Amino acid sequence: VIVFYYLGKQWYQRRVRGAATVITNVVSVLPIIGNKIVIWLWGGYQVANPTLNKFFSLHFVLPFVILALAIIHIILLHEVGSNNPLGVSFKVDQLSMNPYFVLKDFYSIFILLIIFSIFVFFYPNVLSHPDNYIPANSLVTPEHIVPEWYLLPFYALLRSVPNKLQGVIVLALALISLFFIPFINRSRIRSAQFRPLYRIFFWFFICDCILLSWEAVVSTQSTFFFFFFFY
């Protein structure tokens, strides 16, 4: 979802360098075909108008894939059922999805839309950056490239490793490791209420993400940057 959203923000100067240039250059670490894939993604030898048009088209089309996956998720949730606060699966005394969970979900969506509307109509620039109003120009490099807040931990992993290949490997391991969690955790109890060690690691993970996000916005000349490299 984050990648699909980011594909539509290439018309601004910070996004051209942050996403269209930096992220696509990650593919160049592949041997033999890496540089050819980058040129194919750019539609030329540098980020230009064909690159922006291509990314914006994907930004428009790919959300329909997300919609299809969301529908599949709802269907599977209706068949299997949701979890409970105890984290233990019960086959008896279950509630039907409609109307109990449907009304609950509509209530959550309504609250989310209210908060979202407040930011959109009254505070549109709170979570944005002034440089986003600068039109895209591939010939100008911003002084300090900082992605959106939800990409800061991953951007920090790339910055903390001097070698490009090693940085991409670390970033890939950080993403791939999430797919192994359902297979590693074979406990019948899914709730953290009865698992104190799990709660400790959970808050350690939250603190880790916060520190990595801070490191992503710190200048490379700062002394804090070297601290996070060893971290």
Side-chain angles (χ1 to χ4, degrees):
V1 176
I2 293 176
V3 174
F4 294 168
Y5 164 74
Y6 215 64
L7 289 174
K9 302 191 68 178
Q10 312 305 318
W11 299 95
Y12 310 116
Q13 178 60 18
R14 295 175 73 241
R15 297 298 165 263
V16 168
R17 289 295 177 182
T21 303
V22 176
I23 295 180
T24 53
N25 263 305
V26 171
V27 189
S28 63
V29 300
L30 296 176
I32 302 176
I33 62 173
N35 292 327
K36 295 181 180 180
I37 295 178
V38 172
I39 295 175
W40 175 75
L41 290 174
W42 288 352
Y45 292 97
Q46 66 176 357
V47 177
N49 194 57
T51 313
L52 304 181
N53 291 331
K54 183 186 300 183
F55 282 4
F56 193 80
S57 300
L58 291 174
H59 169 74
F60 175 79
V61 174
L62 294 180
F64 292 102
V65 178
I66 300 178
L67 178 62
L69 293 176
I71 295 175
I72 295 175
H73 170 72
I74 294 175
I75 294 174
L76 295 177
L77 181 64
H78 180 71
E79 293 293 331
V80 179
S82 60
N83 206 341
N84 56 75
L86 295 178
V88 181
S89 179
F90 293 101
K91 298 300 181 181
V92 296
D93 195 20
Q94 294 182 339
L95 297 175
S96 62
M97 184 174 180
N98 186 34
Y100 301 103
F101 293 100
V102 172
L103 294 178
K104 180 182 177 181
D105 290 341
F106 271 113
Y107 174 78
S108 302
I109 293 174
F110 183 72
I111 297 298
L112 177 63
L113 289 177
I114 291 178
I115 299 175
F116 180 74
S117 300
I118 291 175
F119 278 100
V120 169
F121 296 110
F122 297 99
Y123 307 100
N125 296 321
V126 170
L127 301 177
S128 183
H129 195 280
D131 290 349
N132 286 334
Y133 290 99
I134 302 177
N137 185 358
S138 60
L139 300 179
V140 178
T141 302
E143 181 179 357
H144 185 41
I145 300 176
V146 179
E148 300 291 347
W149 61 271
Y150 43 78
L151 288 177
L152 289 178
F154 303 104
Y155 183 62
L157 295 176
L158 289 175
R159 293 183 65 196
S160 299
V161 182
N163 185 275
K164 181 191 290 188
L165 177 59
Q166 295 176 0
V168 173
I169 293 175
V170 171
L171 177 61
L173 291 177
L175 295 174
I176 295 175
S177 61
L178 300 176
F179 292 95
F180 290 97
I181 294 179
F183 303 99
I184 296 175
N185 182 18
R186 308 301 298 177
S187 175
R188 296 179 61 89
I189 300 177
R190 298 294 182 178
S191 175
Q193 185 175 356
F194 307 106
R195 302 163 65 189
L197 187 61
Y198 171 81
R199 293 199 298 267
I200 294 175
F201 279 102
F202 172 78
W203 288 112
F204 178 80
F205 175 74
I206 297 298
C207 294
D208 183 35
C209 291
I210 295 174
L211 288 174
L212 287 175
S213 300
W214 182 35
E215 186 256 343
V217 299
V218 172
S219 175
T220 54
Q221 287 77 22
S222 174
T223 55
F224 292 106
F225 184 79
F226 297 97
F227 164 75
F228 285 106
F229 172 73
F230 291 103
Y231 175 75

